[in-house]
Amino acid sequence: MRRLSRKSVPLLYLLIGSLLVAGVSMIFAQMAEFALEHNRHWVKTYPWFAWVALPLGLMLIAWLMRRFAPYTVGSGIPQVIASIVLPYGRTKKRALGFRETLLKVPLTFLGMLCGASIGREGPSVQVGAAVMASWGRWCKKHNLAFTGLQDNDLLAAGAAGGLAAAFNAPLAGVIFAIEELGRDVMLRWERQIFIGILAAGFAQVAIMGNHPYFSNFYAYGTEVKHLWLWVLAVALVCGVMGGLFSRLLFKGVGWVIPAAGWKAWVQRRPILLAGLMGLLLAAVGTISGGDAYGTGSAQVLEALHNQYHAPFGMSLWKWLATIFSYWAGIPGGIFTPCLTIGAMIGHDLAQLAGLGLGGNVLVLLGMVAFLSGATQSPLTASVVVMEMTGSQQLLVWMLMGGLVATAVSRQFSPKPFYHAAAARFRQRVAEECKAGK
């Protein structure tokens, strides 16, 4: 009984932490679906809605974020990577404070309600890391469990568990932890970390059911001749657009403003910049017929079933909408919008080639290739899309496309976006701690 207690009690606390991560992720998912559904209804019913809600709403969100939760800006994955790399002590906890990070959920919800092109998966990663790390510290303080685990181990387990629960993709969570979180620092890949990641994904499956994110996908692979040529074509286009996308996100709006005076003006007025980006978003959304708003998951599902009939070039509007949303400086992820952009690129290429039923294969390849180009994480992108769509039979082709897109993307953005942004957060934390803030 003593031996059983020594092994089972710490495991029980680990599973409780994973259940907390999965629970927050599931609540967030329900909030996101509510926001997206109501935004679609309001945009369709009231054509003026986006022109009012986006500029005013993004300005309000930017003000709330800067006032109460400044480290919740953007995706959330760079903050987790920065926290893992930062030295132990007060600095490691700064970018992932528990109460502040939880505010990312309602702020992202408001952004989706307004129609910003943002996703919930990146925020789920940041919130999951904060939840698991806080739970682990509480357990350590009361000498209950996790005495052999460091903060980095808990951060990795919570972050990857958040991704696994958000996408209903437990295996992708493990790959994400290895490929993305462990890229800049040596993590101890103990069995408990993998158990925690998988448990978060399995908890979501047990409660919500084993349903792929994009269910009932069937790939008409036999309909596409010379598939390897299409893999290269999709990968090249997505690699170029993904590399430019990553560079634009990292450099910010000041990079495209030629005059130095205007750059300084933009930097001094972040709230007004959010309003300006809201107006640009409303314009792009109006031109696209509303398809540029939100995550775009409904459009991806239609494209995977060969039921998406948008005009050629819709991918460009979604690409611009996601960039404008990020430049607004509000909380929100890019993971799902990247999948949507890739799906639309594949749909555009299929339209040009007249592939018919086989066009959804290019949609699938585009999802992997663009996400790989934007994040330079081809293994994570391939496994995430495979688990989201149930397309195991095309995994080899998806891996090939992801690797080629990553190689092309590096010519435009040499450093992966998440890690380049994480370096910026590390510098910010160091400067604030040095100043005694």
Side-chain angles (χ1 to χ4, degrees):
M1 289 299 295
R2 286 197 298 270
R3 184 162 58 249
L4 179 63
S5 176
R6 285 199 302 270
K7 295 191 176 191
S8 61
V9 171
L11 177 62
L12 176 63
Y13 282 105
L14 177 64
L15 294 178
I16 292 174
S18 298
L19 187 60
L20 291 173
V21 171
V24 172
S25 183
M26 285 184 284
I27 293 171
F28 195 7
Q30 296 300 315
M31 293 173 64
E33 289 300 320
F34 176 89
L36 293 171
E37 180 181 349
H38 281 72
N39 177 263
R40 284 193 294 267
H41 171 72
W42 291 337
V43 168
K44 186 176 180 180
T45 306
Y46 311 107
W48 49 265
F49 173 78
W51 291 91
V52 175
L54 278 168
L56 296 181
L58 297 194
M59 290 174 70
L60 174 63
I61 295 168
W63 181 84
L64 290 171
M65 184 208 71
R66 294 177 68 84
R67 176 68 177 82
F68 299 105
Y71 280 101
T72 61
V73 63
S75 164
I77 295 176
Q79 289 92 315
V80 174
I81 296 172
S83 296
I84 289 175
V85 177
L86 284 168
Y88 285 92
R90 187 166 60 97
T91 56
K92 184 175 284 292
K93 302 176 183 179
R94 192 174 186 90
L96 290 176
F98 179 69
R99 294 179 181 176
E100 178 181 313
T101 303
L102 283 184
L103 290 175
K104 194 176 187 102
V105 174
L107 291 174
T108 305
F109 168 79
L110 289 175
M112 291 181 170
L113 201 62
C114 293
S117 180
I118 55 178
R120 61 178 172 84
E121 288 73 23
S124 295
V125 169
Q126 185 179 5
V127 173
V131 168
M132 182 65 86
S134 299
W135 171 249
R137 290 166 191 152
W138 185 85
C139 290
K140 285 183 179 181
K141 181 180 178 180
H142 293 84
N143 199 27
L144 297 174
F146 306 123
T147 54
L149 290 180
Q150 299 177 353
D151 274 6
N152 280 354
D153 304 324
L154 295 168
L155 289 171
L163 182 78
F167 278 127
N168 191 9
L171 181 57
V174 173
I175 301 298
F176 170 77
I178 296 172
E179 183 180 35
E180 197 66 67
L181 301 181
R183 184 177 296 190
D184 285 344
V185 66
M186 182 66 69
L187 292 174
R188 301 183 308 160
W189 295 118
E190 295 191 10
R191 183 175 58 180
Q192 294 178 73
I193 300 178
F194 294 128
I195 290 175
I197 297 169
L198 294 171
F202 293 150
Q204 197 273 350
V205 171
I207 296 172
M208 304 298 294
N210 188 17
H211 306 295
Y213 197 97
F214 299 114
S215 59
N216 300 322
F217 169 71
Y218 177 76
Y220 297 89
T222 57
E223 300 292 332
V224 181
K225 296 180 180 179
H226 308 297
L227 184 56
W228 66 275
L229 288 175
W230 286 113
V231 170
L232 292 177
V234 172
L236 287 172
V237 175
C238 289
V240 172
M241 293 189 68
L244 292 173
F245 177 84
S246 173
R247 192 170 184 85
L248 285 167
L249 292 191
F250 176 71
K251 292 291 187 179
V253 66
W255 191 54
V256 299
I257 298 177
W262 282 105
K263 290 182 182 180
W265 185 90
V266 166
Q267 292 173 350
R268 291 195 302 267
R269 296 169 175 82
I271 309 302
L272 290 178
L273 176 63
L276 176 60
M277 291 300 111
L279 289 173
L280 291 175
L281 264 171
V284 169
T286 301
I287 295 171
S288 67
D291 280 7
Y293 297 133
T295 61
S297 56
Q299 289 84 352
V300 174
L301 188 59
E302 291 177 0
L304 287 170
H305 289 84
N306 289 309
Q307 297 172 356
Y308 189 51
H309 305 295
F312 179 82
M314 188 61 67
S315 57
L316 178 61
W317 299 122
K318 185 63 178 175
W319 187 81
L320 287 172
T322 307
I323 292 173
F324 293 154
S325 297
Y326 193 87
W327 282 354
I330 63 171
I334 63 169
F335 228 101
T336 311
C338 281
L339 293 175
T340 303
I341 295 168
M344 290 178 172
I345 291 173
H347 178 262
D348 287 342
L349 293 176
Q351 276 187 316
L352 282 177
L355 289 184
L357 292 178
N360 62 353
V361 176
L362 268 62
V363 169
L364 187 75
L365 294 172
M367 293 168 66
V368 175
F370 188 84
L371 183 59
S372 299
T375 64
Q376 296 182 17
S377 300
L379 295 179
T380 300
S382 300
V383 177
V384 160
V385 174
M386 179 195 73
E387 289 194 277
M388 292 172 71
T389 60
S391 54
Q392 292 84 349
Q393 68 272 32
L394 293 176
L395 179 59
V396 173
W397 298 108
M398 291 190 290
L399 282 169
M400 182 188 298
L403 290 169
V404 173
T406 298
V408 174
S409 171
R410 284 176 182 157
Q411 311 312 309
F412 300 89
S413 182
K415 190 167 185 179
F417 166 69
Y418 287 141
H419 291 264
R424 187 175 286 171
F425 276 110
R426 290 200 304 271
Q427 182 180 1
R428 176 178 169 182
V429 169
E431 290 175 352
E432 290 183 355
C433 290
K434 186 177 180 180
K437 293 183 180 180

